[in-house]
Amino acid sequence: MSVAPDEALDLREETDTLQAPDTPWQVIVWNDPVNLMSYVTYVFRTYFGFGQEKAQKLMMAVHTEGKAVVFTGSREEAETHTNAMHGWGLWATFERAE
C-alpha cells in the first residue's frame, strides 16, 4: 500500500496529537529581595485561599529554596495565576509540569 507524502504527514500529525499527554502546567513563585515574608503569605492566603499553614509552608519554600510551585493545572489557569501574582508584585512564571 502506497500513501502519498501529504497523506502520511496528516496521519502522523493526527497520531502525535492523540498520543501526546495532557501535561499540566505549574505556576512558580520566585524569591525576590523586595517583598516581606508576611506579605507573600498574605498573597497566598488571599488570592489562592490557602490556609495559614499551607501559605506559610509555601512562603518558606520561596524564601529558603528560592521558589515554590503554588499551582498545577491547565495552561490557561496557570497563565491567569501568573499574571495575578505579577499584579500583587510577586515574581512568578509558569511552565509545563515535569
Side-chain angles (χ1 to χ4, degrees):
M1 175 179 166
S2 177
V3 177
D6 289 341
E7 288 179 44
L9 179 60
D10 289 344
L11 291 173
R12 189 170 46 248
E13 286 177 356
E14 188 173 313
T15 302
D16 289 346
T17 301
L18 293 174
Q19 292 177 352
D22 187 22
T23 306
W25 292 74
Q26 58 189 16
V27 174
I28 301 166
V29 173
W30 300 86
N31 193 27
D32 66 55
V34 178
N35 292 299
L36 298 174
M37 292 188 291
S38 59
Y39 178 71
V40 175
T41 302
Y42 171 78
V43 171
F44 291 165
R45 293 193 71 199
T46 303
Y47 178 77
F48 290 106
F50 297 148
Q52 179 66 28
E53 188 175 325
K54 183 171 184 174
Q56 189 84 20
K57 181 178 177 182
L58 289 168
M59 176 278 298
M60 284 306 296
V62 170
H63 180 68
T64 60
E65 299 167 29
K67 65 180 181 177
V69 174
V70 296
F71 171 81
T72 301
S74 73
R75 180 187 168 112
E76 292 79 18
E77 290 174 300
E79 206 169 337
T80 298
H81 294 319
T82 300
N83 287 330
M85 292 298 95
H86 295 165
W88 286 87
L90 300 184
W91 181 24
T93 58
F94 68 98
E95 63 185 30
R96 284 191 184 270
E98 296 180 1

